[in-house]
Amino acid sequence: MLGFKIIVQDRPTTRRGILSIVSSIYDPLGLVSPFILPARILLQSLWQQGSGWDRPIEGAGLQVWHKWLSGLPKLESFSVARCYKPKHFGEVLSCQVHNFSDASEQGYGMVSYLRLVNKRGEIHCSILLGKSRVAPLKKVTIPRMELTAATLSVRMNEKLKRELDYNIDKSYFWTDSMSVLRYITNETTRFHTFVSNRVSTIREGSEVSQWRYINTKLNPADDASRGLIITDFIKCKRWVTGPDFLWSPESEWPENQVVLERIHDEDPEVKKLSNVVLIDEQSSFMSSLISRFSSWMSLKRTVGWILTGKRNLQHWANLRKQVRESISADVDPKKQEQLVDDKMRKMRSRVNLKSASLDIDILQEAERCIVTYVQRRHFQDELDILLKGLHITIA
């Protein structure tokens, strides 16, 4: 048998003293996790209250600690069988690992059991390990906590498969959270990073078919997530041997409810798709240009230079067309393009670009372009009415 030898040391009722006593309980397999969790929750609450390491605790915290400490010696009456397979059990035909997970506002946890079936159809279940962790200081929703517990369950199952000498036929994962089951079975919806990363871990370490639903009242991991006082813990047969249905044939297990409705878009964990608005390149460019200037004159001059560049490009394009038409069609096409390039190069060399400046006409045209763009963007309905009623054509 595996049991506990408890020697209650005399420690001050401070954070340091409480931590010393709680840490002195050697429980690498987490067999008494439900009993230790309330003490860890107390330590976290003292830290949140800003209590110093050596400052004596008072009030409700002191009562909780005295109650927990008084039950600590009774832990010696708790024990579990060291051997997973009972004596005279015979040859094992089926070996399964069942992992249960749960979460609450106080914490989250998991517990795993080994289920053996022999030739005579006899069933025996043993606790393998348990994990119980305090809820993070940063507030997390219960569905996220449940998903974190499920992720922990998958990781512990991987460790058990590596360490156990038995040939595991199949692993099962049980949870009372319908949200977790929906996240795991999802194939299309995109989630936020927190959920997405944990679902990815779960899917890598397990198959959807391995996940099953269990009612909260039957879930032994509920003890790991909420904690138990010593009297309830010692009497808790379910924690050591697993829920009663594990001792029955699979046909008598709780009905599987993994087949679920799709995840609603209103679910806070669903990643909202960005609305993409398509606009023409000219509008996009003009909007970006306007947002860069705080001076009206600077904006007009910039638009004026753009219009000047546009006019120049159109001017040179027309000249290139005229030069090409002036060359005889009998000339070889490659030579024809070379002649065009030579003539255009000579024409550009005569133009003094440094002397270019903005005249009043260009600035006025730039002002009209800006005003027209803004009117079309913000008063399109009014412009449509004017155009329809007065047959006005806006340049």
Side-chain angles (χ1 to χ4, degrees):
M1 303 295 290
L2 290 175
F4 293 83
K5 183 68 174 178
I6 301 298
I7 300 177
V8 181
Q9 299 177 340
D10 186 17
R11 292 287 186 270
T13 54
T14 61
R15 276 179 61 197
R16 193 187 304 276
I18 293 174
L19 180 61
S20 176
I21 294 176
V22 174
S23 301
S24 67
I25 304 174
Y26 183 68
D27 182 30
L29 296 178
L31 300 178
V32 294
S33 295
F35 171 67
I36 297 178
L37 181 63
R40 291 176 175 169
I41 293 175
L42 173 62
L43 278 170
Q44 186 186 68
S45 66
L46 292 174
W47 187 89
Q48 286 180 299
Q49 295 170 13
S51 179
W53 278 106
D54 299 307
R55 177 184 176 183
I57 62 173
E58 302 174 347
L62 183 61
Q63 295 178 4
V64 171
W65 173 242
H66 282 322
K67 184 177 181 180
W68 186 89
L69 190 61
S70 63
L72 182 57
K74 299 178 183 178
L75 198 60
E76 290 190 350
S77 62
F78 174 82
S79 62
V80 297
R82 182 184 178 193
C83 195
Y84 297 139
K85 186 176 75 170
K87 191 176 182 181
H88 308 303
F89 189 73
E91 183 181 354
V92 175
L93 292 184
S94 174
C95 180
Q96 300 173 343
V97 174
H98 290 257
N99 307 279
F100 298 80
S101 60
D102 187 48
S104 68
E105 293 183 357
Q106 293 81 23
Y108 64 94
M110 57 79 58
V111 59
S112 298
Y113 301 93
L114 185 69
R115 183 179 184 271
L116 304 177
V117 182
N118 63 13
K119 286 184 176 181
R120 299 184 297 274
E122 296 174 340
I123 300 171
H124 182 77
C125 298
S126 308
I127 185 172
L128 293 173
L129 60 80
K131 292 289 181 182
S132 189
R133 295 179 178 175
V134 179
L137 291 174
K138 183 179 179 180
K139 291 297 181 182
V140 179
T141 62
I142 295 299
R144 285 193 172 192
M145 292 272 287
E146 295 274 11
L147 189 61
T148 303
T151 306
L152 178 63
S153 188
V154 170
R155 289 173 176 165
M156 292 300 103
N157 181 72
E158 290 294 317
K159 181 179 290 187
L160 288 171
K161 289 194 297 184
R162 291 194 304 267
E163 300 297 334
L164 287 173
D165 294 331
Y166 293 96
N167 293 322
I168 308 300
D169 299 324
K170 191 172 183 179
S171 295
Y172 288 89
F173 300 90
W174 299 82
T175 177
D176 56 16
S177 172
M178 300 296 281
S179 296
V180 169
L181 294 176
R182 277 194 286 266
Y183 295 152
I184 295 172
T185 57
N186 169 72
E187 296 289 349
T188 56
T189 306
R190 296 181 62 193
F191 300 113
H192 292 294
T193 304
F194 185 98
V195 173
S196 179
N197 289 344
R198 284 155 182 78
V199 169
S200 177
T201 301
I202 291 172
R203 295 292 292 267
E204 289 176 3
S206 66
E207 301 291 337
V208 174
S209 59
Q210 294 176 268
W211 286 88
R212 302 177 71 97
Y213 174 80
I214 183 174
N215 188 281
T216 302
K217 296 180 180 179
L218 301 176
N219 191 357
D222 185 68
D223 303 329
S225 66
R226 300 178 187 276
L228 294 172
I229 60 175
I230 189 63
T231 53
D232 293 340
F233 177 67
I234 292 174
K235 296 177 182 178
C236 187
K237 179 183 176 183
R238 179 182 69 177
W239 175 255
V240 178
T241 61
D244 292 338
F245 69 81
L246 283 186
W247 295 75
S248 304
E250 187 172 349
S251 59
E252 299 180 20
W253 292 358
E255 183 181 356
N256 191 16
Q257 299 186 26
V258 171
V259 180
L260 303 160
E261 71 276 10
R262 74 176 186 86
I263 299 175
H264 298 293
D265 295 336
E266 291 77 15
D267 191 307
E269 300 300 344
V270 174
K271 198 169 187 178
K272 301 298 186 294
L273 296 177
S274 300
N275 294 323
V276 180
V277 180
L278 297 178
I279 57 177
D280 60 88
E281 295 182 2
Q282 183 179 359
S283 297
S284 176
F285 173 76
M286 182 64 80
S287 178
S288 174
L289 196 62
I290 292 175
S291 65
R292 294 189 179 190
F293 290 91
S294 58
S295 168
W296 171 244
M297 194 60 190
S298 297
L299 176 61
K300 279 203 305 181
R301 290 181 61 83
T302 301
V303 174
W305 280 115
I306 293 173
L307 292 176
T308 301
K310 179 181 177 182
R311 286 185 177 181
N312 289 336
L313 288 174
Q314 291 175 339
H315 171 71
W316 289 109
N318 292 332
L319 283 179
R320 189 177 186 88
K321 183 179 179 182
Q322 294 174 7
V323 170
R324 184 180 289 108
E325 292 175 349
S326 65
I327 299 174
S328 175
D330 298 333
V331 179
D332 181 79
K334 291 184 179 181
K335 191 174 181 179
Q336 184 183 53
E337 286 301 315
Q338 186 175 358
L339 291 172
V340 171
D341 291 339
D342 292 340
K343 289 187 176 183
M344 293 298 299
R345 194 177 298 110
K346 291 178 181 179
M347 294 173 67
R348 291 194 189 97
S349 64
R350 302 192 194 105
V351 178
N352 186 6
L353 296 178
K354 293 184 179 180
S355 64
S357 61
L358 295 176
D359 56 31
I360 189 64
D361 293 334
I362 287 293
L363 290 175
Q364 288 178 346
E365 184 177 353
E367 184 172 330
R368 284 196 298 270
C369 287
I370 297 170
V371 173
T372 300
Y373 165 77
V374 174
Q375 288 179 340
R376 283 178 173 171
R377 183 172 182 181
H378 297 283
F379 302 101
Q380 187 61 53
D381 293 340
E382 289 82 352
L383 287 172
D384 291 340
I385 294 173
L386 290 172
L387 290 171
K388 185 177 179 181
L390 304 176
H391 303 287
I392 298 176
T393 303
I394 297 181

